[in-house]
Amino acid sequence: MWHDWLRERSDKVLGISLGPHGDGRMQNIGDLVKHIFIAEKHHVERLSDRPLTDTNLIPNDSVEELFRFGQRSRKDLRDFVETHPAEDWEDSREFEIMGKIVSVTPRKFIVHILTHEIRHWAQIATMLRLNGLTGGFPDFLFSPVMSGGVRTLRV
């Protein structure tokens, strides 16, 4: 949904600034989209005891490149959820993340991945609205994700 929305408006949208009050890690929409996908990829790699993917070569200015990477990270997430042993979902494990040791269960880590993504896509929608790009933002309730959908009422 977001892929289509961004692609229809061109790669230039990715360069829209996040404003002057960030934490210094991300400067524009492209950086934030990349951050969403990197977090998903790296967190699943941590849970899977795999080395973290080097993401330095992934551009932040190409909708197609970003979403190609995002498709791979989402596939890894789905594979993890589908194959992780049921008896291990509540086993707490420790991970080093951003210079801190975090103790977390796989279930909590997966919930974090999903809420992290939801929160950042909402930030992106807000930044785009503030920059005059309105309407047609993807919305979970109206999406085909997890079945369902929308139809127009006939009067």
Side-chain angles (χ1 to χ4, degrees):
M1 294 176 350
W2 271 105
H3 183 197
D4 293 338
W5 193 94
L6 289 167
R7 184 179 40 216
E8 289 169 7
R9 282 145 186 91
S10 88
D11 292 337
K12 292 178 183 173
V13 171
L14 298 175
I16 293 174
S17 173
L18 297 178
H21 303 294
D23 64 7
R25 294 181 299 154
M26 295 163 273
Q27 303 303 312
N28 56 43
I29 300 290
D31 288 341
L32 191 48
V33 172
K34 183 176 175 179
H35 169 75
I36 291 167
F37 297 147
I38 288 172
E40 180 177 81
K41 180 79 167 158
H42 283 178
H43 291 338
V44 171
E45 289 169 340
R46 286 179 178 99
L47 284 166
S48 303
D49 296 319
R50 295 192 315 249
L52 301 184
T53 298
D54 180 359
T55 57
N56 288 321
L57 297 178
I58 298 166
N60 69 346
D61 60 353
S62 167
V63 171
E64 293 308 316
E65 291 291 327
L66 284 169
F67 279 84
R68 198 168 301 125
F69 176 65
Q71 288 170 345
R72 291 191 307 267
S73 70
R74 184 50 49 105
K75 180 187 180 312
D76 289 348
L77 175 62
R78 281 190 183 112
D79 290 348
F80 180 84
V81 169
E82 290 171 1
T83 62
H84 194 70
E87 63 273 9
D88 292 344
W89 280 98
E90 298 304 326
D91 292 345
S92 189
R93 296 173 52 196
E94 289 188 342
F95 301 94
E96 182 182 340
I97 303 172
M98 298 179 64
K100 297 182 179 5
I101 300 297
V102 179
S103 180
V104 64
T105 65
R107 182 177 316 283
K108 184 174 181 176
F109 220 156
I110 295 300
V111 169
H112 167 74
I113 291 168
L114 299 174
T115 56
H116 174 264
E117 183 167 334
I118 291 166
R119 178 173 55 92
H120 282 316
W121 284 116
Q123 289 174 319
I124 289 169
T126 299
M127 294 311 299
L128 294 172
R129 280 187 198 102
L130 290 173
N131 281 276
L133 295 164
T134 60
F137 291 116
D139 189 286
F140 185 74
L141 184 63
F142 298 101
S143 78
V145 175
M146 296 176 69
S147 76
V150 175
R151 57 191 162 99
T152 304
L153 257 174
R154 297 181 193 236
V155 182

